C-alpha cells in the first residue's frame, strides 16, 4: 500500500474511532442524555463570557438555524442558558449553566486523556512533527470550510 492510501485509511479510521469513543464515553458517564453533537456545541460556547449565536455557529461551521435547534435541546437539558443582550435586544447570548460547565470540563478531561496517551509514546521531535502535520491538516480543513 502506498503512503497516500495508508494515510487516507488512517485518517478515516481516526475520525470514526474518535467519534465512537466519544459516544461510548458519554453513554457510560453521567451525561447519557448528551450527544456528541451536544458536547461540541457546549465546547464551542465554552466557559468564558456569554457568546452570541452567530459567533458560536461560525465556530461550528453551521447555520444559526441549525445551532438554534441544538441550543433549544441543551436549554431543555439544563446545560445552556440563553439571554438577550442588554445593549441590543435582537442579539441572543448563550452561556453554559453550572451543569453545562461540568459537562464541558468532563469533555475536556476526555480530550486531555486522549492526547496525553498519544504523546507519552512519542519523543520530543516526534511530537513536533505530529503537531506540524496535524496543523497542516487542520489548515486544509479550515480552507475547505471557508470555500463553501
Amino acid at each position: 500500500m502506498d503512503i497516500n492510501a495508508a494515510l487516507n485509511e488512517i485518517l478515516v479510521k481516526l475520525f470514526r474511532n474518535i467519534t465512537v469513543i466519544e459516544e461510548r464515553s458519554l453513554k457510560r458517564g453521567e451525561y447519557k442524555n448528551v450527544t456528541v453533537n451536544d458536547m461540541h456545541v457546549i465546547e464551542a460556547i465554552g466557559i468564558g463570557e456569554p457568546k452570541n449565536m452567530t459567533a458560536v455557529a461560525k465556530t461550528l461551521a453551521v447555520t444559526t438555524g441549525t445551532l438554534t435547534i441544538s441550543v433549544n435541546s441543551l436549554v431543555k437539558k439544563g446545560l445552556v442558558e440563553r439571554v438577550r443582550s442588554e445593549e441590543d435586544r435582537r442579539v441572543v447570548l448563550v452561556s453554559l449553566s453550572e451543569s453545562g460547565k461540568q459537562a464541558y470540563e468532563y469533555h475536556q478531561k476526555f480530550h486531555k486523556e486522549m492526547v496525553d496517551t498519544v504523546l507519552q509514546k512519542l519523543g520530543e521531535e516526534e511530537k513536533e512533527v505530529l503537531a506540524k502535520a496535524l496543523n497542516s491538516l487542520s489548515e486544509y480543513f479550515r480552507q475547505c470550510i471557508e470555500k463553501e
Side-chain angles (χ1 to χ4, degrees), residues 76-91:
K76 287 179 187 173
K77 293 175 183 179
L79 299 167
V80 170
E81 297 170 345
R82 182 181 5 218
V83 296
R84 295 251 175 220
S85 168
E86 291 297 322
E87 292 84 40
D88 185 345
R89 302 292 295 160
R90 297 170 295 175
V91 175

Side-chain angles (χ1 to χ4, degrees), residues 30-144:
E30 60 189 277
Y31 300 102
K32 291 176 176 58
N33 69 333
V34 179
T35 67
V36 171
N37 182 61
D38 288 343
M39 202 55 88
H40 291 159
V41 173
I42 288 168
E43 187 175 40
I45 294 170
I47 57 174
E49 293 295 314
K51 293 182 180 170
N52 69 52
M53 293 282 284
T54 303
V56 176
K58 185 176 180 181
T59 298
L60 294 167
V62 298
T63 66
T64 53
T66 297
L67 178 62
T68 298
I69 293 166
S70 294
V71 167
N72 288 344
S73 171
L74 290 167
V75 167
K76 287 179 187 173
K77 293 175 183 179
L79 299 167
V80 170
E81 297 170 345
R82 182 181 5 218
V83 296
R84 295 251 175 220
S85 168
E86 291 297 322
E87 292 84 40
D88 185 345
R89 302 292 295 160
R90 297 170 295 175
V91 175
V92 175
L93 301 174
V94 290
S95 60
L96 300 181
S97 66
E98 281 307 311
S99 296
K101 289 175 184 174
Q102 290 171 2
Y104 176 90
E105 294 297 337
Y106 176 85
H107 192 61
Q108 291 305 303
K109 182 180 175 198
F110 165 80
H111 280 275
K112 182 179 181 336
E113 288 173 2
M114 180 177 59
V115 171
D116 287 350
T117 300
V118 170
L119 292 181
Q120 73 184 11
K121 298 175 183 174
L122 301 178
E124 288 305 314
E125 191 173 312
E126 291 170 311
K127 289 176 187 177
E128 289 180 27
V129 170
L130 178 61
K132 184 176 179 182
L134 292 176
N135 191 50
S136 293
L137 184 62
S138 179
E139 181 62 22
Y140 168 75
F141 289 152
R142 185 190 62 74
Q143 289 173 0
C144 287

